[in-house]
Amino acid sequence: MLLLLLLTNAFVLLPWAGAGRIIGGTEAKVHSRPYMAYLEVKNKTKSSRCGGFLIRPDAVLSAAHCMDIEKIVSVTVILGAHNISDEECSQQKISVGQWDIHPEYSREGFINDIVLLKLEQNATINEYVKCISIPKKNKHVRVGTKCNVPGWGWTSKEEDSTDVLREVKLKVQKEKICQRAFSDYEPQSMICVGDEKSKKATYKGDSGGPLVCNEKAHGIVSYGCDRNLFPEVFTRISHFEPWIHEQLKMFSLQDIPGSPSSD
Ligand SMILES: *[C@@H]1O[C@H](CO)[C@@H](O)[C@H](O)[C@H]1NC(C)=O
Ligand SMILES: *[C@@H]1O[C@H](CO)[C@@H](O)[C@H](O)[C@H]1NC(C)=O
């Protein structure tokens, strides 16, 4: 099984080195994906880079496995970016104050691979930074729907790097295809996605990014298989909508000084 996050040794690679792009996609139109977040999680020796997306000015959704680093010292998101290695005026770099990994997340099989990150300050919503909406509970995306996935992940199986946001169009596939390919595939909480010809895919560094179908974030890049680019598994957001709502409510409560849940 292949994890789609990028784990790099912070002492060997320079910051940002290794951040690449989607396989078989095209460069995204500049600032056409204003909900897209670049996520960096660090401890003293390692860092992981992932995608994520803004669903409220104070909240970013991503994949739980992006947080699979021991003794995290910092989690940062960059919003409004196109070229992640440039200091673009549109960029907002915000620290993540806390995060809620799904309580039933399992590394074995990537079950419930979802995390909600609370930003320390609200993002400023403008031309470059906007939220994306998520589907209601059990509003399933139809098989055959063509969706977009933006990301800064690798562009080939051999690390190949550019720093601009790329995107790829992938089709929602029948559950059977993923049930055959992955023993832990769970139809109610995962979406089976891919390009049958295996010419297009997400890859390392794309984890946590959104599967955008009909302008809503229906999925989160979760995992695939190293030998084949097809099929791939995304976390099914509609299944987690009640949980997300609950977490967002808690985030808001914490903002009220003196409320029982604020520290
Ligand atoms: C950083 O995270 C990696 C991956 O989980 C772990 O192997 C390593 O021991 C951690 N480093 C420190 C200093 O905790
Ligand atoms: C931050 O955004 C949240 C969600 O939209 C809102 O409830 C809250 O009032 C905002 N906080 C500030 C300080 O603007």
Side-chain angles (χ1 to χ4, degrees), residues 7 43-46 68-71:
L7 264 182
N43 71 9
K44 285 204 178 114
T45 52
K46 292 230 166 194
D68 267 352
I69 280 198
E70 284 162 42
K71 303 203 179 95

Side-chain angles (χ1 to χ4, degrees), residues 56-58 122 252 255:
R56 211 170 70 171
D58 60 343
N122 282 2
S252 300
D255 286 343

Side-chain angles (χ1 to χ4, degrees), residues 118-142:
K118 181 165 198 308
L119 305 183
E120 266 178 4
Q121 297 119 41
N122 282 2
T124 304
I125 303 301
N126 57 28
E127 188 183 343
Y128 314 109
V129 176
K130 288 190 173 79
C131 300
I132 185 167
S133 53
I134 60 169
K136 291 260 177 298
K137 183 174 163 56
N138 297 331
K139 277 265 175 224
H140 280 202
V141 57
R142 276 206 203 119

Side-chain angles (χ1 to χ4, degrees), residues 235-259:
T235 306
R236 191 185 290 281
I237 293 175
S238 59
H239 175 75
F240 296 98
E241 193 259 350
W243 178 79
I244 294 167
H245 242 86
E246 213 42 50
Q247 303 313 305
L248 287 175
K249 256 195 252 163
M250 308 250 280
F251 283 3
S252 300
L253 280 176
Q254 285 155 356
D255 286 343
I256 304 167
S259 79

Side-chain angles (χ1 to χ4, degrees), residues 64-229:
H65 78 256
C66 291
M67 311 303 286
D68 267 352
I69 280 198
E70 284 162 42
K71 303 203 179 95
I72 291 174
V73 293
S74 76
V75 181
T76 316
V77 300
I78 299 175
L79 298 162
H82 181 66
N83 185 331
I84 206 64
S85 62
D86 277 357
E87 293 201 0
E88 300 161 320
C89 299
S90 56
Q91 291 183 10
Q92 297 179 36
K93 188 170 179 175
I94 307 179
S95 292
V96 172
Q98 69 167 88
W99 54 90
D100 291 324
I101 292 175
H102 193 278
E104 280 136 60
Y105 163 61
S106 163
R107 207 171 290 192
E108 313 292 325
F110 303 102
I111 318 287
N112 307 313
D113 192 7
I114 185 168
V115 64
L116 195 64
L117 309 164
K118 181 165 198 308
L119 305 183
E120 266 178 4
Q121 297 119 41
N122 282 2
T124 304
I125 303 301
N126 57 28
E127 188 183 343
Y128 314 109
V129 176
K130 288 190 173 79
C131 300
I132 185 167
S133 53
I134 60 169
K136 291 260 177 298
K137 183 174 163 56
N138 297 331
K139 277 265 175 224
H140 280 202
V141 57
R142 276 206 203 119
V143 172
T145 308
K146 288 202 175 129
C147 306
N148 267 295
V149 190
W152 285 278
W154 294 11
T155 49
S156 73
K157 289 198 187 180
E158 296 74 46
E159 178 174 352
D160 184 7
S161 59
T162 3
D163 298 328
V164 297
L165 185 65
R166 309 269 304 180
E167 63 183 32
V168 70
K169 200 169 258 178
L170 298 173
K171 206 157 88 184
V172 177
Q173 301 286 339
K174 295 199 177 92
E175 309 292 3
K176 263 192 297 193
I177 292 172
C178 281
Q179 280 167 323
R180 240 181 268 137
F182 307 104
S183 57
D184 293 316
Y185 183 80
E186 277 188 356
Q188 79 278 15
S189 64
M190 299 176 188
I191 309 179
C192 189
V193 173
D195 170 55
E196 298 92 329
K197 297 184 200 92
S198 286
K199 295 232 168 86
K200 298 187 280 182
T202 59
Y203 209 60
K204 293 177 189 174
D206 291 324
S207 274
L211 177 74
V212 183
C213 321
N214 310 320
E215 328 234 317
K216 280 196 159 75
H218 273 271
I220 304 172
V221 180
S222 183
Y223 68 93
C225 165
D226 215 353
R227 282 162 292 134
N228 279 327
L229 294 174

